[in-house]
Amino acid sequence: VAGFSLSYLLNVVHQPKAYEKLNVFVASTKIESGAFCKDIEEKFHDNGLKEVTAVQSNPNDALFAQKLNVVGYEGSDLFLLPESVLKSITPSDIMVPFNAELEKNYVTENAPVYYVSEGDSYGVRIKEKSVSHWLSSYIEFLDEDYYLCLNIKSKNIASYGLYSSESYDLALKAFVYLQGGAA
């Protein structure tokens, strides 16, 4: 019992903290999550990133909405969602509305296209319908526009979410990277 307890405690102590890990929720038919996560982890390892996970769910599955609500809303830092999914939810409930500072510092497109709901922008288009994107080597996208959004509950988005901490910004760095492959 003592050995088991010691092993468990050491495992818990060495688990990455919330600000050292990143989770991306991807609405697609398929994802090469190992390669996708490894790519992001290698890119930001020197910034303190210790663990990257990706949750994939097909928007055409019956349980998609439940998975998005439970797994996506509660544990993801970033969302890669097609326009049809964004139209079926209320982005203001869970996503960070973009402001001028966020757009200036973290949106890399010269002429960005945003997903707008109720007058606020909640995502930046990263993949146009019927156009290939560098992430297509990892993700089997649906044939529609895809938007990259930030979860307001993320602990990795500096002062833009519910948990304000300037030094924890790994999700913002990944947000920039996922837009164009450079950060």
Side-chain angles (χ1 to χ4, degrees), residues 32 133-139 141:
E32 298 293 332
H133 187 270
W134 74 274
L135 289 174
S136 298
S137 62
Y138 303 117
I139 300 168
F141 291 104

Side-chain angles (χ1 to χ4, degrees), residues 55-67:
V55 175
Q56 178 271 332
S57 187
N58 188 337
N60 298 320
D61 288 345
L63 295 176
F64 175 79
Q66 184 178 3
K67 194 169 185 180

